[in-house]
C-alpha cells in the first residue's frame, strides 16, 4: 500500500488516453469537474481516433480550457 501525502494546492495531472472513446468522454470530463479538489489539469492523449472524440473534447472543454490539454 502506497500512501501519497500531497501538499495543499499541489497540482494533480489526470491523463486520459483516447482511442475512439467518444461515448465516454462527456462523462469523464464531468466526473473530473465534480471532484472537490480543484487543483487539477486534465490531459487527453488521442491515439488517432477515427470517431468524433476530438470534436467532443474541444466542445466540452470550452469552459475549463485553462485546465485541459489535448495532445493529438
Amino acid at each position: 500500500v502506497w500512501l501519497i501525502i500531497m501538499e495543499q494546492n499541489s497540482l494533480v495531472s489526470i491523463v486520459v488516453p483516447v482511442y475512439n472513446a467518444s461515448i465516454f468522454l462527456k462523462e469523464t470530463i464531468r466526473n473530473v469537474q465534480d471532484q472537490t479538489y480543484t487543483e487539477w489539469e486534465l490531459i487527453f492523449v488521442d491515439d488517432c481516433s477515427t470517431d468524433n472524440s476530438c470534436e467532443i473534447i474541444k466542445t466540452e472543454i470550452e469552459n475549463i480550457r485553462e485546465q485541459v490539454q489535448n495532445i493529438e
Side-chain angles (χ1 to χ4, degrees):
V1 175
W2 291 88
L3 176 62
I4 300 173
I5 300 173
M6 297 187 330
E7 274 185 47
Q8 197 169 39
N9 297 327
S10 293
L11 182 65
V12 173
S13 298
I14 304 157
V15 181
V16 180
V18 176
Y19 180 74
N20 294 339
S22 61
I23 62 172
F24 304 107
L25 291 173
K26 289 182 182 182
E27 182 179 6
T28 299
I29 294 167
R30 288 192 185 103
N31 284 336
V32 172
Q33 286 179 294
D34 288 345
Q35 299 303 306
T36 57
Y37 191 77
T38 59
E39 298 300 316
W40 54 266
E41 67 178 350
L42 182 55
I43 302 169
F44 290 99
V45 181
D46 182 49
D47 191 16
C48 301
S49 291
T50 57
D51 64 358
N52 63 336
S53 292
C54 288
E55 290 79 19
I56 290 173
I57 293 168
K58 290 173 185 173
T59 300
E60 291 294 313
I61 65 173
E62 287 302 316
N63 295 326
I64 56 170
R65 181 155 314 276
E66 67 281 351
Q67 290 177 294
V68 177
Q69 298 178 39
N70 186 26
I71 301 171
E72 296 180 47

